[in-house]
Amino acid sequence: MDYVLKTNSLCKHYRNFKALNRVSMHIPKGAIYGFVGKNGAGKTTLIRLICGLQYPTSGDFVLCGVKNTDRKIAESRSRMGAVVETPSIYPGMTAEDNLKMQYRLLGMPSFDGIQELLKLVGLENTGKKKAKHFSLGMKQRLGIAIALCGSPDFLILDEPINGLDPQGIIEIRELILKLNRERQITVLISSHILDELSKLATHYGFIDSGRIIKEMSAEELEQACRKCIHMTVTDTKILARVLDGMEITYKILDEKTADVYAKPNFSQLALALSKENCEVVSMEEHDENLETFFVNLVGGANHE
Amino acid sequence: MSKLLRADFARLFMSRIFWIGVLFMAGFAGFIVFTRWSDMRAVPGYYCFADDIFLVGSMCIGIVIAIFTGIFIGEDYNSGTIRNKHIMGHSRTAMYLSNLITCSMASVIMHFAFIVVIIGSSVFGIIGKSRISVEKMAGLCLITVFSVLSISSMILLISMLIPKKSAGVVTAMIFSIFMIYIANTIDYRLSAKEYIQPYTFTVTNEDGTEQEIEQPLTKNPKYLTGTKKKIFQFFHDTLPVDQIMQICQTETCNTDFILSSLAVTVIATGAGILFFRKKDLK
């Protein structure tokens, strides 16, 4: 698999405090990678290291095929756009002037494409209005437009929907999906608004106390969060035989427990099991979403 | 770095604080011309020449540079655009040097805004023409330009290392005022005479009678000698505000000043780049 970013045991220490502790993460090309963690978990620190704003205490990373210690990392970074914490915009300039400034910094030969970018982020009608008078959502979209100058392959968005109203959140979500689908831009989004992230991400990385607890694809997460009946029986071999007969999908967890991915007729199931000398000890509905999955994961990690 | 320079110069010419600085220096020159013109009309026999005042603005340029540089660089930090430059692949050294060139050019333009108004007033006959040759005036201007560059490099060092705009401006201003204070103190100590000349003064006694007291020739405790004098003289010749003060007082083209200004610029820039490269850009 092609990776846009791979980190290898990345550490960042502030005296005795370990902001990042041996973080290894993998962002596949073309993915929308949801970087999930509580406040202070280390999301922004990791993003700062990738952007070169801070230096790692130890460990390394490979960005677009170039190691961070390589001299060519600057070239590699030019293929990346980022909005870290707050959008990097000059408040005294208009949206167009801000984009022109970015074009100059990138050494673009002309200002062609600025109107297209403004249209893409929905700021084509801002005219001479200065960025300091923009709403938070408009500033965020302008920040994304700036990050998109030079057509990057990889976009890093640190908490892009923080403080936005519902309409603003929808606009940013649609913009990110559009960029990923139409321009094939790989996106790393850090957020703690999990419900929103679940509508976007194709891959997830969960971080807590500076450590990556789990990395998984959206399919794997969906599988883990799939609605099921968690059954405890006296013998799961018999349960499997009965469920096969009823053409119901299931997963045997151990000799006595299994997850059943459907709502069977429980009377019939219990009767069929009883005929085979298998008792149903308990049944409980299992319904997880990203939020509960994360809470269980972090809680689990804390209790390790 | 050419990309950075192109962007930084575009921002400079769009910057309100830069144009305020230019207008302030031009206005300050206009104010000085006006006061001298008023004096010339009011005081018989008094005449002001262009060479008397054309470098007076350089004495306070440090404060203007401090405000401009503090705000210009502070805006880059405040808006997060300094991070953006680095994220898109510009090296810290290139970013620092681009800021140095931009802020230095801005400082020199502000410096010339003052000089141009004074020379213009002289050409239009508001004040007297220069008593020194054009070549010498150009030479003096050139030396002060190097002094301005070294002031700019020191203030840039402060502004680049203090990310908070207001804190950066205040620190840079305190530094520039401190440089003026140091220049005055050094000048005062170096110009102190070895002896205090004999003088007499009158005191009134309790019974109302007046008594004349004669003070003999005494050694001046402020007079500098030996190594101490050499150290004071070294700083007087090296520090940029001291150099400008000497140029204003003596109107002599000391080319050594250019070398020492360049040395100060190189040291300040080297130290600035060293610290900036290690700085966490939060």
Side-chain angles (χ1 to χ4, degrees):
Chain A
M1 191 184 275
D2 265 358
Y3 292 105
V4 171
L5 176 73
K6 270 200 290 186
T7 71
N8 177 33
S9 295
L10 216 50
C11 294
K12 178 69 183 176
H13 299 173
Y14 298 104
R15 292 185 187 160
N16 296 326
F17 175 68
K18 290 179 181 174
L20 290 179
N21 189 10
R22 302 177 66 80
V23 168
S24 295
M25 88 192 266
H26 308 80
I27 302 181
K29 202 173 173 185
I32 297 180
Y33 190 96
F35 195 27
V36 186
K38 292 187 282 190
N39 286 334
K43 302 187 294 291
T44 303
T45 305
L46 182 79
I47 287 172
R48 283 199 201 121
L49 295 188
I50 295 161
C51 293
L53 302 173
Q54 288 180 286
Y55 299 109
T57 310
S58 65
D60 54 59
F61 63 87
V62 179
L63 178 68
C64 302
V66 181
K67 206 170 173 183
N68 66 311
T69 46
D70 196 318
R71 276 178 171 266
K72 287 183 180 167
I73 190 71
E75 278 174 41
S76 194
R77 284 207 179 99
S78 64
R79 292 171 58 192
M80 181 183 96
V83 183
V84 185
E85 290 160 292
T86 51
S88 300
I89 51 178
Y90 289 109
M93 290 186 195
T94 63
E96 191 178 338
D97 284 341
N98 267 291
L99 292 182
K100 279 183 180 172
M101 193 56 74
Q102 189 74 359
Y103 267 52
R104 287 188 191 101
L105 285 166
L106 287 164
M108 310 273 271
S110 75
F111 295 133
D112 293 346
I114 285 183
Q115 288 308 321
E116 194 193 330
L117 266 178
L118 286 171
K119 207 171 169 185
L120 180 75
V121 297
L123 295 175
E124 71 273 28
N125 295 322
T126 50
K128 291 192 182 299
K129 192 175 181 180
K130 289 185 174 171
K132 63 182 166 192
H133 301 304
F134 283 8
S135 68
L136 196 61
M138 287 165 83
K139 282 181 186 167
Q140 201 64 262
R141 279 183 281 145
L142 178 57
I144 294 176
I146 287 172
L148 289 174
C149 291
S151 308
D153 302 324
F154 182 36
L155 189 62
I156 297 179
L157 302 173
D158 185 18
E159 313 272 8
I161 51 173
N162 259 14
L164 296 187
D165 59 21
Q167 182 61 31
I169 291 174
I170 294 167
E171 283 169 7
I172 296 288
R173 185 208 306 154
E174 284 176 357
L175 176 62
I176 294 167
L177 286 170
K178 197 171 165 184
L179 293 171
N180 180 255
R181 286 170 191 166
E182 292 178 11
R183 298 192 176 199
Q184 283 79 46
I185 297 174
T186 307
V187 189
L188 164 65
I189 314 174
S190 84
S191 184
H192 50 250
I193 304 174
L194 305 179
D195 183 42
E196 197 47 47
L197 212 52
S198 66
K199 292 172 185 161
L200 283 171
T202 59
H203 291 76
Y204 293 92
F206 297 93
I207 187 168
D208 188 49
S209 307
R211 287 185 307 145
I212 290 276
I213 310 166
K214 199 170 184 67
E215 272 192 304
M216 63 203 306
S217 69
E219 288 81 30
E220 285 169 329
L221 181 71
E222 201 182 325
Q223 203 72 32
C225 298
R226 202 169 156 189
K227 266 189 180 179
C228 66
I229 307 291
H230 188 73
M231 290 184 73
T232 308
V233 291
T234 48
D235 189 346
T236 46
K237 280 180 196 157
I238 299 170
L239 176 69
R241 205 163 51 232
V242 170
L243 288 173
D244 282 340
M246 295 172 87
E247 293 180 348
I248 291 170
T249 51
Y250 60 88
K251 187 179 175 186
I252 303 294
L253 302 174
D254 55 42
E255 286 173 357
K256 289 186 189 266
T257 56
D259 284 339
V260 180
Y261 298 111
K263 280 192 176 175
N265 184 320
F266 293 111
S267 309
Q268 278 182 8
L269 179 62
L271 205 64
L273 288 171
S274 175
K275 278 182 188 166
E276 302 264 354
N277 284 331
C278 174
E279 275 181 43
V280 178
V281 179
S282 71
M283 277 198 292
E284 55 189 60
E285 200 173 28
H286 202 78
D287 185 10
E288 263 192 338
N289 56 20
L290 180 56
E291 211 162 77
T292 48
F293 181 81
F294 173 68
V295 170
N296 289 338
L297 198 66
V298 172
N302 286 343
H303 294 297
E304 270 173 19
Chain B
M1 200 169 82
S2 60
K3 296 172 195 171
L4 278 168
L5 280 172
R6 198 173 150 224
D8 283 341
F9 271 102
R11 187 162 83 90
L12 174 70
F13 292 119
M14 286 165 89
S15 161
R16 194 180 291 175
I17 190 69
F18 167 65
W19 292 112
I20 289 173
V22 172
L23 286 175
F24 173 80
M25 288 306 287
F28 181 44
F31 173 74
I32 289 178
V33 167
F34 175 74
T35 54
R36 297 299 163 102
W37 175 77
S38 304
D39 288 348
M40 277 160 58
R41 286 172 65 109
V43 183
Y46 172 73
Y47 207 73
C48 175
F49 296 95
D51 56 288
D52 289 336
I53 55 170
F54 84 112
L55 290 174
V56 170
S58 327
M59 288 298 297
C60 70
I61 189 102
I63 297 170
V64 181
I65 294 173
I67 296 169
F68 161 73
T69 309
I71 292 175
F72 191 74
I73 301 296
E75 262 175 10
D76 233 5
Y77 271 110
N78 258 20
S79 57
T81 42
I82 200 158
R83 289 185 318 216
N84 191 37
K85 288 175 186 173
H86 191 53
I87 291 169
M88 69 174 69
H90 293 295
S91 74
R92 291 180 187 227
T93 307
M95 281 158 63
Y96 192 97
L97 289 176
S98 173
N99 278 334
L100 176 75
I101 294 168
T102 313
C103 291
S104 298
M105 281 308 295
S107 305
V108 171
I109 291 169
M110 288 189 271
H111 178 54
F112 273 102
F114 184 92
I115 294 172
V116 165
V117 172
I118 301 288
I119 303 289
S121 308
S122 160
V123 170
F124 288 108
I126 301 168
I127 56 168
K129 290 202 167 24
S130 172
R131 290 163 299 183
I132 58 174
S133 66
V134 175
E135 289 80 14
K136 192 172 181 185
M137 270 183 109
L140 292 174
C141 279
L142 183 71
I143 297 168
T144 54
V145 162
F146 280 94
S147 305
V148 167
L149 292 180
S150 64
I151 293 172
S152 186
S153 69
M154 285 192 282
I155 286 170
L156 183 75
L157 167 69
I158 295 167
S159 302
M160 288 295 280
L161 297 182
I162 300 175
K164 283 196 175 162
K165 189 161 110 178
S166 48
V169 173
V170 171
T171 313
M173 275 182 70
I174 291 171
F175 176 75
S176 57
I177 292 167
F178 182 69
M179 280 205 298
I180 296 172
Y181 169 76
I182 290 285
N184 277 305
T185 307
I186 292 176
D187 185 59
Y188 169 71
R189 290 300 302 270
L190 284 172
S191 58
K193 299 265 186 312
E194 189 173 2
Y195 291 99
I196 298 168
Q197 293 301 312
Y199 60 96
T200 53
F201 60 96
T202 311
V203 291
T204 309
N205 293 324
E206 282 175 3
D207 55 2
T209 58
E210 287 189 341
Q211 188 187 352
E212 210 167 65
I213 295 174
E214 218 168 88
Q215 197 69 24
L217 187 74
T218 48
K219 190 122 177 125
N220 186 355
K222 301 272 184 197
Y223 182 71
L224 294 168
T225 53
T227 315
K228 209 172 176 182
K229 186 169 186 170
K230 279 181 187 164
I231 292 169
F232 270 69
Q233 192 60 54
F234 170 77
F235 283 114
H236 204 39
D237 294 341
T238 310
L239 296 175
V241 180
D242 290 68
Q243 290 177 353
I244 292 169
M245 189 181 263
Q246 287 190 67
I247 292 166
C248 289
Q249 285 168 351
T250 61
E251 288 185 356
T252 48
C253 289
N254 189 346
T255 46
D256 287 348
F257 286 177
I258 294 177
L259 291 176
S260 52
S261 289
L262 281 175
V264 170
T265 307
V266 168
I267 292 167
T269 306
I273 290 172
L274 196 73
F275 289 123
F276 184 62
R277 284 175 69 166
K278 289 181 179 171
K279 192 173 170 57
D280 279 350
L281 291 177
K282 286 188 179 174

